[in-house]
Amino acid sequence: MTTRMTINGVSTCQTAGKEQYEKFQSGVGRRKRTLVQYDYREQTSGELFSCVAPTLDECREKRDNWLKRKGYTL
């Protein structure tokens, strides 16, 4: 699988406050499912959040929960 989101396993999401995502398929045969790989770099600290979920909305919800836990504002 080629990806535009990583180079040698390192996220290419370098700009603070930006998100990056792409869809990919996982599984074998008829059991394939489409998932979204999501990266977000926090604006003030530059900390990277990364996750995989079935939809982009679920990824963003996970990001928002992470930001709240860390005490960052949206």
Side-chain angles (χ1 to χ4, degrees):
M1 174 179 108
T2 30
T3 178
R4 61 178 165 76
M5 289 187 54
T6 60
I7 296 174
N8 295 328
V10 177
S11 175
T12 58
C13 184
Q14 299 299 321
T15 307
K18 297 291 182 171
E19 65 180 15
Q20 191 172 317
Y21 59 90
E22 69 182 1
K23 292 182 179 182
F24 67 97
Q25 287 193 334
S26 177
V28 178
R30 293 183 182 199
R31 293 185 178 236
K32 284 185 181 176
R33 22 184 307 201
T34 300
L35 298 170
V36 177
Q37 179 181 348
Y38 181 87
D39 286 350
Y40 173 79
R41 190 158 300 272
E42 204 279 320
Q43 293 180 30
T44 55
S45 70
E47 192 173 353
L48 180 68
F49 170 78
S50 185
C51 74
V52 174
T55 66
L56 181 57
D57 288 336
E58 288 180 58
C59 289
R60 288 179 174 153
E61 186 176 323
K62 287 181 180 186
R63 176 205 59 197
D64 293 345
N65 290 334
W66 175 78
L67 287 170
K68 287 177 189 173
R69 278 195 323 271
K70 292 283 191 170
Y72 298 126
T73 58
L74 298 175

Short mmCIF file of all heavy atoms in Angstrom, two decimals, residues 3 5-12 37 39 48:
data_model
loop_
_atom_site.label_atom_id
_atom_site.label_comp_id
_atom_site.label_asym_id
_atom_site.label_seq_id
_atom_site.Cartn_x
_atom_site.Cartn_y
_atom_site.Cartn_z
N THR A 3 1.24 5.28 0.52
CA THR A 3 0.55 6.30 1.29
C THR A 3 1.24 7.64 1.12
O THR A 3 2.45 7.70 0.99
CB THR A 3 0.47 5.91 2.78
OG1 THR A 3 -0.17 6.96 3.49
CG2 THR A 3 1.82 5.62 3.37
N MET A 5 0.77 9.92 3.42
CA MET A 5 0.77 10.45 4.78
C MET A 5 2.04 10.14 5.56
O MET A 5 2.28 10.75 6.59
CB MET A 5 -0.43 9.93 5.55
CG MET A 5 -1.73 10.53 5.06
SD MET A 5 -3.15 10.10 6.04
CE MET A 5 -2.68 10.58 7.66
N THR A 6 2.84 9.20 5.10
CA THR A 6 4.06 8.86 5.83
C THR A 6 5.23 8.68 4.86
O THR A 6 5.06 8.29 3.72
CB THR A 6 3.91 7.55 6.64
OG1 THR A 6 3.61 6.49 5.75
CG2 THR A 6 2.81 7.66 7.68
N ILE A 7 6.41 8.98 5.38
CA ILE A 7 7.65 8.70 4.68
C ILE A 7 8.52 7.93 5.67
O ILE A 7 8.85 8.44 6.74
CB ILE A 7 8.35 9.99 4.22
CG1 ILE A 7 7.48 10.73 3.21
CG2 ILE A 7 9.72 9.68 3.64
CD1 ILE A 7 8.02 12.09 2.82
N ASN A 8 8.83 6.69 5.33
CA ASN A 8 9.60 5.80 6.22
C ASN A 8 8.95 5.69 7.60
O ASN A 8 9.62 5.67 8.62
CB ASN A 8 11.04 6.29 6.36
CG ASN A 8 11.78 6.19 5.05
OD1 ASN A 8 11.52 5.30 4.25
ND2 ASN A 8 12.70 7.10 4.83
N GLY A 9 7.60 5.67 7.63
CA GLY A 9 6.88 5.50 8.88
C GLY A 9 6.72 6.76 9.70
O GLY A 9 6.18 6.73 10.80
N VAL A 10 7.15 7.90 9.19
CA VAL A 10 7.04 9.18 9.90
C VAL A 10 5.96 10.02 9.22
O VAL A 10 5.95 10.17 7.99
CB VAL A 10 8.39 9.94 9.89
CG1 VAL A 10 8.25 11.29 10.56
CG2 VAL A 10 9.46 9.10 10.55
N SER A 11 5.07 10.58 10.02
CA SER A 11 3.98 11.39 9.49
C SER A 11 4.50 12.59 8.72
O SER A 11 5.45 13.26 9.13
CB SER A 11 3.08 11.87 10.63
OG SER A 11 2.09 12.74 10.13
N THR A 12 3.84 12.89 7.61
CA THR A 12 4.20 14.07 6.82
C THR A 12 3.38 15.29 7.24
O THR A 12 3.51 16.35 6.64
CB THR A 12 3.98 13.82 5.31
OG1 THR A 12 2.61 13.47 5.10
CG2 THR A 12 4.90 12.73 4.81
N GLN A 37 -7.32 6.82 7.80
CA GLN A 37 -6.15 7.13 8.61
C GLN A 37 -6.11 8.64 8.75
O GLN A 37 -6.22 9.37 7.77
CB GLN A 37 -4.86 6.63 7.96
CG GLN A 37 -3.62 6.96 8.76
CD GLN A 37 -2.35 6.49 8.07
OE1 GLN A 37 -2.39 5.74 7.11
NE2 GLN A 37 -1.23 6.95 8.56
N ASP A 39 -4.33 12.18 10.73
CA ASP A 39 -3.27 12.85 11.51
C ASP A 39 -3.68 14.30 11.72
O ASP A 39 -4.21 14.95 10.81
CB ASP A 39 -1.94 12.85 10.76
CG ASP A 39 -1.26 11.49 10.74
OD1 ASP A 39 -1.72 10.59 11.45
OD2 ASP A 39 -0.27 11.35 10.01
N LEU A 48 1.45 15.61 17.85
CA LEU A 48 0.75 14.91 16.78
C LEU A 48 -0.29 13.95 17.35
O LEU A 48 -0.01 13.17 18.25
CB LEU A 48 1.75 14.12 15.93
CG LEU A 48 1.16 13.32 14.77
CD1 LEU A 48 0.62 14.27 13.70
CD2 LEU A 48 2.21 12.40 14.17
#
